[in-house]
Amino acid sequence: LPKPLYNQLRRAAELARQPVADVIQKSLSHSLPPLLEDIPTEYQADVYPILQMDVENLQQEARRVFPAGRWARYEALLDKKKQTTLTETEQAELGALRREADVLMFRKGYAAVLLKRQGYRPPSPDEFPIVQ
């Protein structure tokens, strides 16, 4: 570590009355993004680009919503599936809509975590709808 950074960590440790190693561990745990390995493999390629986003784009990503018409179709297919068997086309459409919703939620969640790690307050679920 560069000497000025180490001195800052040492001083923070003294003020907190903690070992320098503990301060380093806490600092790193709050600044490193979560590992993509924590996200299911089939969604990692969809989430990875978020690591390259600036704060403005992360905030936009965290506020993205699922289009109301597509959500209504998703729910209609789920309801129909409970009542009867879906056609192959409907099953494929339901699978695509489910994946689209999953990707949206993983991206929103990852963006919120990155915002928080950078010291920004991500929007709370009460501040924006999931579906618009």
Side-chain angles (χ1 to χ4, degrees):
L1 291 175
K3 184 99 174 152
L5 180 57
Y6 178 78
N7 288 338
Q8 184 179 2
L9 288 166
R10 185 181 47 76
R11 182 67 180 133
E14 288 171 4
L15 292 171
R17 297 177 191 205
Q18 296 179 353
V20 173
D22 289 356
V23 173
I24 291 171
Q25 181 180 354
K26 286 178 185 173
S27 295
L28 287 173
S29 71
H30 291 291
S31 63
L32 293 174
L35 297 174
L36 280 177
E37 289 82 18
D38 295 337
I39 295 172
T41 306
E42 67 265 29
Y43 301 108
Q44 290 177 7
D46 296 296
V47 175
Y48 182 77
I50 290 177
L51 288 170
Q52 309 305 316
M53 290 183 178
D54 61 18
V55 171
E56 183 179 329
N57 286 320
L58 286 171
Q59 290 171 334
Q60 288 175 359
E61 191 67 36
R63 287 184 173 88
R64 281 186 51 217
V65 295
F66 203 83
R70 295 185 62 68
W71 187 257
R73 179 64 178 155
Y74 178 67
E75 288 184 323
L77 288 169
L78 285 175
D79 288 342
K80 183 175 181 182
K81 184 178 176 182
K82 291 177 186 174
Q83 307 295 326
T84 185
T85 303
L86 298 177
T87 66
E88 284 185 33
T89 301
E90 290 169 329
Q91 288 175 353
E93 183 181 7
L94 178 60
L97 288 167
R98 176 176 291 135
R99 186 177 196 299
E100 183 180 344
D102 288 347
V103 167
L104 174 71
M105 294 311 296
F106 278 116
R107 288 178 62 99
K108 286 170 68 73
Y110 205 76
V113 167
L114 292 177
L115 284 168
K116 185 172 172 94
R117 295 267 171 110
Q118 293 181 39
Y120 294 89
R121 186 182 74 72
S124 72
D126 295 334
E127 293 177 290
F128 62 94
I130 300 299
V131 178
Q132 182 177 14

